[in-house]
């Protein structure tokens, strides 16, 4: 069955980051996948997490910096990255901020992100 999604739900988060979820637990009730448009201000950062979901991210503008067990990876506009379930990661944005689309399988939830205490 085809479902049209007319608008996103804005999910409040601290630090000035904007999350507009189009598909996922909050906006469409989907638990299998989430698709969100993200905008992070310059030098934004979040606590480390060990998510129970895979995350596929396409950077549209600026850069996303991912700290992980293997080091630090910077991903710029026109590039993408994948983080696997169970991998400890920490996201932050570069000096010009970041705009990106994130797809999570299964869908993102705060409980399954397993964020470290800030």
């Amino acid at each position: 069955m085809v479902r049209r999604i007319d608008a996103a739900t804005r999910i409040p988060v601290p630090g000035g980051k904007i999350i507009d979820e189009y598909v996922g637990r909050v906006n469409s009730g989907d638990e299998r996948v989430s698709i969100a448009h993200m905008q992070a201000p310059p030098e934004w950062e979040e606590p480390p997490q060990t998510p129970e979901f895979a995350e596929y991210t396409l950077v549209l503008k600026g850069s996303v910096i991912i700290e992980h067990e293997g080091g630090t990876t910077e991903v710029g506009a026109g590039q993408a990255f994948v983080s696997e379930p169970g991998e400890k990661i920490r996201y932050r944005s570069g000096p010009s901020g970041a705009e990106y689309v994130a797809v999570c399988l299964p869908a993102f939830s705060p409980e399954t992100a397993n964020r470290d205490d800030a």
Side-chain angles (χ1 to χ4, degrees):
M1 172 198 299
V2 172
R3 292 184 291 152
R4 185 175 85 183
I5 298 170
D6 291 321
T9 296
R10 182 150 293 169
I11 299 173
V13 294
K17 180 178 171 184
I18 297 170
I19 300 175
D20 289 328
E21 181 185 274
Y22 285 85
V23 176
R25 296 174 193 269
V26 174
N27 195 57
S28 65
D30 288 275
E31 295 184 4
R32 294 176 298 163
V33 63
S34 59
I35 303 172
H37 178 235
M38 318 277 216
Q39 296 177 69
E43 309 297 336
W44 165 87
E45 59 185 48
E46 68 182 7
Q49 59 185 331
T50 308
E52 298 173 26
F53 47 82
E55 186 167 352
Y56 303 84
T57 303
L58 171 62
V59 179
L60 304 173
K61 294 180 184 174
S63 62
V64 176
I65 300 161
I66 309 99
E67 297 172 7
H68 50 91
E69 187 175 306
T72 301
T73 302
E74 184 169 0
V75 182
Q79 298 178 320
F81 67 91
V82 178
S83 62
E84 298 294 341
E87 182 174 11
K88 187 167 188 168
I89 53 175
R90 181 174 177 255
Y91 295 129
R92 54 190 171 98
S93 63
S96 62
E99 180 179 356
Y100 55 102
V101 174
V103 177
C104 298
L105 292 169
F108 172 88
S109 77
E111 297 77 26
T112 61
N114 299 316
R115 286 196 175 106
D116 291 358
D117 291 332

